[in-house]
Amino acid sequence: MTRKYLIVVDMQEDFVYGTLGTPEARNIVPVVVNMVKEFDGNVILTRDSHQSDYLETQEGKFLPVKHCISCSDGWNFIEPLEAMQMKSHFPIYVKETFGSVNLAVDLRAEHIKQEIESIEMIGVCTDICVISNALLLKAYLPEVPIIVHANGCAGVTPKKHEAALEVMRSCQIIVKG
């Protein structure tokens, strides 16, 4: 079994076509779908997940737009990815915040058992959840190459996308594309 991982961050309806969707997020869909289909390794999905009281949370006060409410249409993965997940049963990490500590802890445990060759990342939003997960993984697995595919990510805005990529480069995360 290959020791490579592809982390697909929050490719959900609300971030692509819904309340927080952007043209940039819609433009990366073919890249994301193709990378998942072609990836020679382990694919893991993350799912942003909030409850009906989202607007009362700290995040909800900073971003007062209900999104990815558990079990809503916007919470679902985009259709091509949903179908691939149903067929392949990729592991899903449900996140109630930007980064998944559980994902980082689990991958570190895997790395201790048998060295992980690399962790690649794609998804949305580059400047929020992608960067949060990339930095968590780098902190938990400092010697594993963490690779973010810029052409498979979209930020809240193109400017924020570029700024997040630059910060990740500064933190020794490899940015490709």
Side-chain angles (χ1 to χ4, degrees), residues 3-7 39 42 107 111 114-122 133-149 168 171-176:
R3 299 301 294 167
K4 292 181 186 179
Y5 287 84
L6 176 65
I7 311 299
F39 191 71
N42 306 290
L107 287 178
H111 184 65
Q114 185 179 357
E115 192 171 306
I116 292 175
E117 184 179 330
S118 64
I119 298 171
E120 301 183 39
M121 301 182 72
I122 53 177
N133 284 286
L135 291 172
L136 270 170
L137 290 166
K138 192 65 177 171
Y140 277 76
L141 297 156
E143 295 301 317
V144 174
I146 309 295
I147 303 158
V148 172
H149 294 275
M168 287 188 275
C171 294
Q172 301 174 0
I173 292 165
I174 301 160
V175 177
K176 291 185 175 181

Side-chain angles (χ1 to χ4, degrees), residues 47-80:
R47 174 179 265 154
D48 195 44
S49 191
H50 301 291
Q51 303 306 311
S52 58
D53 68 345
Y54 170 77
L55 294 176
E56 285 88 54
T57 66
Q58 181 172 319
E59 180 182 333
K61 288 177 175 54
F62 280 92
L63 178 63
V65 178
K66 276 191 167 188
H67 65 281
C68 299
I69 303 302
S70 184
C71 300
S72 69
D73 289 342
W75 180 75
N76 293 325
F77 295 113
I78 58 170
E79 183 46 45

Side-chain angles (χ1 to χ4, degrees), residues 7-67:
I7 311 299
V8 183
V9 179
D10 299 354
M11 287 299 292
Q12 295 164 257
E13 288 288 335
D14 274 347
F15 288 124
V16 179
Y17 303 108
T19 58
L20 294 173
T22 64
E24 294 80 18
R26 289 186 288 279
N27 288 341
I28 68 166
V29 168
V31 174
V32 168
V33 169
N34 189 56
M35 286 186 76
V36 171
K37 282 181 183 174
E38 301 294 322
F39 191 71
D40 182 26
N42 306 290
V43 176
I44 296 175
L45 309 178
T46 70
R47 174 179 265 154
D48 195 44
S49 191
H50 301 291
Q51 303 306 311
S52 58
D53 68 345
Y54 170 77
L55 294 176
E56 285 88 54
T57 66
Q58 181 172 319
E59 180 182 333
K61 288 177 175 54
F62 280 92
L63 178 63
V65 178
K66 276 191 167 188
H67 65 281

